[in-house]
Amino acid sequence: MNILVVNGPNLRLLGTREPAIYGDETLADIMRHLTAYASERGVRIEAFQSDIEGELVDEIGAAWGSYDGIIINPAAYTHTSVAIRDAIKACRLPTVEVHLSNTHTREVFRHTSLTVPVCIGQVMGFGGHGYVLALDGLLRHLETIKQERIK
Ligand code: CA2
């Protein structure tokens, strides 16, 4: 099982600023914990981060055939990017959206996600642990699909 984890703009700054909102773990810390959790379950994680919308679109677009599912934190593009939404929909891989913070407790412009309607689910407000929760949900979804195909 191969899972692609896509992180959007400025998430590389995690652990250096705004710890009250985003916690004090770096993105590398979060990906290390996720990778360790995944490998105990026989799952391989490939992590990709970019600040550039087109690079995120290209990475999602190339995922079909190499990955079984996607975990994505589109960061600020969550609230603006039709291109990332279209890429998730077009790639046809089950995708879970993650946010470190609970965006509904923050500014109104963060309350809307353009990307979540094309995802199977969303996890928010649990900091870096949200990626582990997203992986659990995604693996359960993939197992359910597999069982339904066997029936
Ligand atoms: O809560 C989340 O995970 C967000 O996706 C984070 C985005 C924000 O635009 C979304 O509304 C919610 C921001 C990521 C930038 O992260 C920073 C980390 C440290 C310092 C500055 C930015």
Side-chain angles (χ1 to χ4, degrees), residues 2 17 23 37 46 61 66 76 94 102 106 126 134:
N2 292 312
R17 276 166 247 170
Y37 183 85
E46 184 72 36
S66 303
N102 178 352
R106 302 180 63 195
F126 297 103

Side-chain angles (χ1 to χ4, degrees), residues 8-19 21-23 73-79 98-103 106-107 109-111 123-125 131:
N10 297 315
L11 285 165
R12 66 195 157 70
L13 299 175
L14 284 175
T16 64
R17 276 166 247 170
E18 307 213 53
I21 301 174
Y22 299 120
N73 183 345
Y77 291 140
T78 305
H79 320 298
V98 179
H99 296 286
L100 298 152
S101 62
N102 178 352
T103 60
R106 302 180 63 195
E107 303 96 322
F109 68 83
R110 295 186 203 275
H111 295 185
V123 177
M124 62 162 65
Y131 289 82

Side-chain angles (χ1 to χ4, degrees), residues 33-149:
H33 291 146
L34 179 68
T35 301
Y37 183 85
S39 82
E40 284 166 14
R41 285 151 186 82
V43 175
R44 199 180 67 84
I45 297 288
E46 184 72 36
F48 177 80
Q49 190 276 330
S50 178
D51 293 344
I52 300 167
E53 188 176 17
E55 288 186 359
L56 297 164
V57 168
D58 285 350
E59 188 69 19
I60 296 162
W64 175 260
S66 303
Y67 297 98
D68 300 289
I70 298 175
I71 294 170
I72 186 166
N73 183 345
Y77 291 140
T78 305
H79 320 298
T80 63
S81 180
V82 176
I84 292 175
R85 175 194 173 120
D86 288 349
I88 295 169
K89 185 157 190 228
C91 87
R92 291 178 297 135
L93 289 172
T95 299
V96 179
E97 181 167 309
V98 179
H99 296 286
L100 298 152
S101 62
N102 178 352
T103 60
H104 295 288
T105 65
R106 302 180 63 195
E107 303 96 322
V108 168
F109 68 83
R110 295 186 203 275
H111 295 185
T112 301
S113 168
L114 294 190
T115 43
V116 76
V118 293
C119 294
I120 61 165
Q122 186 189 52
V123 177
M124 62 162 65
F126 297 103
H129 185 60
Y131 289 82
V132 169
L133 299 174
L135 180 64
D136 272 343
L138 183 54
L139 294 180
R140 195 183 171 101
H141 176 87
L142 290 167
E143 185 55 36
T144 305
I145 290 175
K146 198 171 138 194
Q147 294 304 327
E148 279 167 6
R149 282 207 193 107

